[in-house]
Amino acid sequence: KGLLTPRLESSNMQVRPDARILDEPLLLVGEVVKGFGRGSKVLGIPTANLHEDALKQLPASFTNGIYFGFATVDGHGTHPMVSSIGCNPYFANKARTVEPHLLHDFPEDFYGAKIRVLITGYLRSEADFTSLDALIEAIKTDIAIAKDFLARPDQITQRDGNAGLHPPKSTVGTFLLPIAAAAGIGAVFFYWRSRA
C-alpha cells in the first residue's frame, strides 16, 4: 500500500466513500513535539504532533491518510481526534509525520506531554489541493464526518473501555504503603522496648 496523492478540488471532498471503522484499533504513544507551526497559524486547526519515534509503532503496511479516533494527554481526558498520518502533499513534506487534531479547546500548548492516540477509523487518502482554502474546507469536512462516526455506540465503547487508551494505574504504591506504615510502627515499638 503506497502513498496516494491525487490533486482534488474541494467540491470533490464533500463525500468520503472510503470512510470506515478499522477492523482493529491502533494505539500510538508518544511525546508531543513542535511541528511546522502550520496547524494554528496557517490552517487555524492546531495539531499535537507526535515525536518521530511514534512512526515505529505503525505496521509496515500502514497506509498514509486521514484517520480518526480518541486521544488522552498525560492520562487526562478522552478527546475525539482527527489525524493526518503521512507527508502532507499540499506542503510537500519529505518526512512522514503523525499530526492529530484534538477536538477540544486547550488553554495552552502542551509540548513534552505524553499523548496516547487510539486510531479507530479511516476517512480518506492523502491528497494535494488546488488551494489552501480547499485544504481547510476538506479538513473541516473530515472533522464533521469523524464526529458522526465517533458518536456511534461501538466508538463510545472504545473511548471508555480501551485498555491501551486507559492503561491500569500501578498498584505497587498502594500495596506498599500499609507495609511501610506497619514497618514504621514496628520500628518505633522496638526502639521503645529497647529504651525501657
Side-chain angles (χ1 to χ4, degrees):
K1 295 180 179 180
L3 173 64
L4 303 177
T5 57
R7 192 169 183 85
L8 301 172
E9 297 284 354
S10 61
S11 60
N12 294 327
M13 297 298 293
Q14 299 306 310
V15 179
R16 302 288 184 269
D18 296 325
R20 63 187 183 275
I21 300 296
L22 301 183
D23 292 335
E24 294 290 337
L26 174 66
L27 180 71
L28 300 179
V29 181
E31 177 187 351
V32 177
V33 298
K34 288 188 176 182
F36 297 100
R38 302 176 187 137
S40 296
K41 297 177 181 177
V42 178
L43 302 173
I45 303 169
T47 56
N49 302 321
L50 272 67
H51 190 277
E52 60 183 8
D53 286 348
L55 293 168
K56 300 175 184 177
Q57 301 167 45
L58 294 172
S61 60
F62 191 84
T63 302
N64 289 349
I66 310 303
Y67 292 81
F68 61 84
F70 301 96
T72 63
V73 179
D74 279 341
H76 301 294
T78 309
H79 309 295
M81 68 87 199
V82 177
S83 182
S84 165
I85 301 178
C87 299
N88 296 312
Y90 179 79
F91 294 107
N93 291 353
K94 295 182 179 180
R96 198 183 197 189
T97 58
V98 180
E99 303 181 18
H101 167 62
L102 278 59
L103 307 184
H104 179 78
D105 291 328
F106 292 90
E108 57 188 12
D109 294 331
F110 45 91
Y111 299 123
K114 183 177 183 179
I115 187 170
R116 306 179 78 87
V117 175
L118 184 70
I119 300 170
T120 62
Y122 171 86
L123 285 169
R124 60 175 172 86
S125 64
E126 282 196 305
D128 200 351
F129 291 87
T130 55
S131 69
L132 182 62
D133 287 341
L135 170 58
I136 294 173
E137 182 180 341
I139 294 173
K140 289 180 178 179
T141 300
D142 293 335
I143 292 171
I145 295 174
K147 286 181 177 179
D148 288 340
F149 271 108
L150 293 172
R152 291 170 39 158
D154 61 325
Q155 295 299 287
I156 299 300
T157 299
Q158 289 286 358
R159 181 195 69 186
D160 297 339
N162 187 278
L165 197 59
H166 305 285
K169 295 181 179 179
S170 174
T171 58
V172 174
T174 304
F175 175 73
L176 292 179
L177 185 59
I179 296 177
I185 293 173
V188 171
F189 178 75
F190 177 79
Y191 175 79
W192 177 77
R193 292 279 296 181
S194 66
R195 296 278 294 180

